[in-house]
Amino acid sequence: MDDIKLVHQLNKKNEKALGVLIERYSGYVSTVIRNISRGVLDTGDSEEVISDVFITIWNNAGHLRAETLRSYIAVIARNLAIDKMRSKHIQLPLDEIETDDGQDIEYETERKALAVELNRVIDEMQPRDRELLVRFYFYYQSLPQIAEEMGIGLSACTTALHRARKKLKKKLTERGYGYEA
């Protein structure tokens, strides 16, 4: 069953489709959680987060789209891993710490709109560019790890990521999300 059929069946709340989803993506979810937590969550906590990921997907099955399924799963895994780390009072990497300084509603609205647009732009990018950006920024994989898993040299990986970022910035700027320095 391909992802299109899988999502269609999940939208219908087909429990067998959930089993296929779990079988197909458990390793992937585990990798995302391990990369986000940098190995500080114990096995029990990691397994709990994995279960929570699939429960969340099941509960929101009506919102799934086949073309963004992998990204959707990764974002849920990332967010739930961060939540678990926070609940355990585990120090998060600096780039994951959010401040609660009473930012106003306008700021939060703009931030959420940017996040939605960012996901749209990444979904529209060429598969290789999208994969590089997602692996680096969402899964927190290192450049050597990305290069190895994608079967490219480290130098080529670094250059390709740099170019993908430039394309991403250009597209966001064209859509009104850039800034003038």
Side-chain angles (χ1 to χ4, degrees), residues 110-126:
E110 287 175 11
R111 192 175 69 80
K112 287 178 183 175
L114 175 59
V116 168
E117 195 61 32
L118 180 63
N119 284 327
R120 281 189 192 134
V121 170
I122 289 173
D123 284 344
E124 294 169 4
M125 294 181 82
Q126 294 297 316

Side-chain angles (χ1 to χ4, degrees), residues 114 118 121-122 125 133 161-181:
L114 175 59
L118 180 63
V121 170
I122 289 173
M125 294 181 82
L133 292 167
L161 180 61
H162 175 74
R163 289 179 181 157
R165 281 192 289 235
K166 284 178 73 172
K167 291 175 190 174
L168 178 64
K169 181 179 178 182
K170 181 181 180 203
K171 288 182 182 233
L172 286 171
T173 301
E174 288 171 355
R175 295 177 186 204
Y177 288 94
Y179 61 91
E180 298 298 321

Side-chain angles (χ1 to χ4, degrees), residues 91-109:
Q91 181 65 42
L92 297 173
L94 286 177
D95 57 350
E96 292 299 333
I97 297 173
E98 294 180 10
T99 59
D100 186 16
D101 57 2
Q103 292 288 343
D104 62 15
I105 293 173
E106 182 180 355
Y107 170 81
E108 284 299 313
T109 303

Side-chain angles (χ1 to χ4, degrees), residues 8-68:
H8 182 71
Q9 290 301 311
L10 287 167
N11 287 332
K12 291 182 172 184
K13 293 288 192 178
N14 180 328
E15 291 181 13
K16 289 181 182 178
L18 179 61
V20 171
L21 180 78
I22 292 169
E23 183 177 319
R24 185 175 297 166
Y25 287 102
S26 286
Y28 176 68
V29 169
S30 178
T31 299
V32 171
I33 292 167
R34 187 175 52 254
N35 288 339
I36 294 298
S37 70
R38 296 191 172 105
V40 298
L41 290 176
D42 65 30
T43 304
D45 288 335
S46 293
E47 288 174 359
E48 183 180 336
V49 173
I50 291 169
S51 296
D52 290 346
V53 167
F54 291 109
I55 290 169
T56 300
I57 292 167
W58 179 253
N59 289 337
N60 295 290
H63 303 290
L64 295 176
R65 293 183 3 225
E67 62 272 8
T68 59

